[in-house]
């Protein structure tokens, strides 16, 4: 019985994801789902990315959090459309679902968006199970989290189109074996593309911007 | 309907948690549920804690992960009983539940345990919703994760009996406002006890050992 409920929820989610996907195609919106553990630097990455894009690209953001508008507040200064989804009123769900994205899309002027970033909840498990209908899933892993994460959260790395290793400015101060991480990534998804960045220190961001440009066109 | 299902799951969980709790009382086992985001240092903390305790205390560990026995392997050298729970075969659940703990307890010699550590899944959301029947909930937050986490994951900090701020050896290399974190903690749970440690660099661990001793007796 329980499994049946779960399956229905996932099926229901997929049909909403397909609707979102069609809408993105129709409106020519390039949509990216940004996922990671709590505190890996998703919001800071968005902060830098929007800064670099906003002069010649129309960017919008959907922010997912259990509670607070902290992340939206951090991005507000860019003057772009931001929709905050809080799941606390809905039982404190630990992931975004496609129907929530569909509701958020209704609040945006879709004719005026080139790139939509969705910042998922800080969680390496459930967000991987719920498709949102985006073009690309991008996973951040920050250096202090350790090299074992691809093995311990395999589904997240399996569905990723790009892995951003963030906070590389901390490498001199931390025991972190880059080769070991890449070996672990390879075990889960052999051809996963990997870029190394420090969002806060603006390192490696040109490769990330190039990745966005390439995949958008 | 969905809400009803969720409520039943939580009620079912509570009754299992009560059974676990009774068993811990009966057998004189002090049980601690260790929770945090992925990569905050739970396993390294256990590693150091077991090292400090094992000569005069009988310690056992239940390890929760979606996949792999990585964490159990790291602790194996101590020669203590370790039960690994992997949730991947059960739909990849993102948290431990009380009935899984009950099953794990059956595999342990409960007459030969003084302290049981349960390392929950790396996740700041759902583990907070499922009681396990332990005496104390301990939450780790590592310095690189940022000061906003108590506001963004309020339930986790509400149910915590102790907050361990980990990786304080990274403070010189990171923008981290300790006072801001403590203000945020206060907003969610005014009297939450807080200790600062670096598990890896063995800083502040004497306070953590003292906390265990005090609360165990």
């Amino acid at each position: 019985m329980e499994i049946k409920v779960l399956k229905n929820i996932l099926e229901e989610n997929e049909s909403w994801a397909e609707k979102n996907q069609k809408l993105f195609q129709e409106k020519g919106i390039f949509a990216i789902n940004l996922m990671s553990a709590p505190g890996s630097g998703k919001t800071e990455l968005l902060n830098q990315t929007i800064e670099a894009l906003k002069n010649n690209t129309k960017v919008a953001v959907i922010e997912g959090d259990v509670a607070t508008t902290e992340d939206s507040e951090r991005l507000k200064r860019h003057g772009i459309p931001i929709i905050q989804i809080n799941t606390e009123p809905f039982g404190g769900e630990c992931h975004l679902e496609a129907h929530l994205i569909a509701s958020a899309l209704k609040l945006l002027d879709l004719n005026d968006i080139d790139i939509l970033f969705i910042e998922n909840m800080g969680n390496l498990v459930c967000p991987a199970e719920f498709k949102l209908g985006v073009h690309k899933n991008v996973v951040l892993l920050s250096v202090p989290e350790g090299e074992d994460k691809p093995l311990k959260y395999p589904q997240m790395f399996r569905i990723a189109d790009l892995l951003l290793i963030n906070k590389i400015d901390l490498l001199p101060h931390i025991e972190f074996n880059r080769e070991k991480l890449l070996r672990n990534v390879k075990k889960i998804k052999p051809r996963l593309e990997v870029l190394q960045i420090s969002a806060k220190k603006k390192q490696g961001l040109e490769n990330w911007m190039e990745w966005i440009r390439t995949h958008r066109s």
Side-chain angles (χ1 to χ4, degrees), chain A:
Chain A
M1 273 303 271
E2 262 178 61
I3 288 171
K4 202 169 165 210
V5 172
L6 181 67
K7 201 178 151 202
N8 286 350
I9 291 176
L10 286 176
E11 271 173 13
E12 166 84 3
N13 186 73
E14 299 245 333
S15 86
W16 278 106
E18 278 167 28
K19 280 178 209 159
N20 293 343
Q21 197 174 15
K22 268 186 204 151
L23 204 51
F24 293 140
Q25 299 294 10
E26 231 174 86
K27 301 290 183 181
I29 298 172
F30 183 55
I32 293 178
N33 179 18
L34 212 52
M35 293 175 284
S36 77
S40 305
K42 295 184 292 304
T43 313
E44 185 56 30
L45 177 70
L46 276 182
N47 191 28
Q48 302 292 349
T49 307
I50 296 163
E51 186 65 44
L53 285 172
K54 69 182 179 188
N55 286 336
N56 48 25
T57 314
K58 292 167 185 164
V59 183
V61 171
I62 296 175
E63 276 292 341
D65 283 296
V66 176
T68 80
T69 55
E70 290 266 319
D71 291 348
S72 296
E73 300 289 334
R74 279 174 66 188
L75 300 178
K76 209 171 57 177
R77 68 179 183 91
H78 296 293
I80 59 162
I82 303 174
I83 308 292
Q84 174 80 49
I85 299 173
N86 281 150
T87 63
E88 201 173 40
F90 308 104
E93 288 281 8
C94 61
H95 56 275
L96 288 176
E97 295 185 13
H99 71 93
L100 294 172
I101 301 302
S103 300
L105 292 178
K106 284 188 196 149
L107 304 175
L108 290 165
D109 178 0
L110 301 183
N111 294 315
D112 209 34
I113 299 174
D114 299 318
I115 302 184
L116 173 71
F117 291 100
I118 300 172
E119 183 178 342
N120 217 309
M121 334 283 290
N123 182 350
L124 285 178
V125 188
C126 303
E129 292 165 15
F130 289 82
K131 288 185 191 172
L132 303 182
V134 298
H135 297 93
K136 296 289 174 190
N137 290 313
V138 175
V139 175
L140 265 84
L141 176 76
S142 70
V143 163
E145 294 165 44
E147 311 91 350
D148 56 351
K149 297 300 165 288
L151 303 181
K152 291 172 72 180
Y153 303 92
Q155 180 66 359
M156 179 57 79
F157 291 81
R158 246 176 241 135
I159 63 140
D161 298 300
L162 172 67
L163 169 62
L164 292 174
I165 305 176
N166 193 23
K167 305 191 188 179
I168 57 167
D169 58 298
L170 292 177
L171 282 172
H173 315 296
I174 262 174
E175 273 178 56
F176 183 83
N177 186 332
R178 191 181 152 279
E179 296 313 311
K180 192 176 168 189
L181 171 67
L182 294 177
R183 275 200 306 277
N184 288 341
V185 168
K186 210 159 233 175
K187 282 180 199 165
I188 301 299
K189 186 163 186 172
R191 292 174 186 206
L192 179 55
E193 206 171 338
V194 180
L195 296 175
Q196 299 182 59
I197 63 167
S198 166
K200 197 154 251 166
K201 306 289 178 185
K202 304 183 191 185
Q203 294 171 22
L205 291 181
E206 60 289 356
N207 297 330
W208 158 239
M209 301 310 295
E210 179 60 31
W211 186 90
I212 294 176
R213 264 192 301 276
T214 308
H215 289 276
R216 195 186 148 202
S217 58

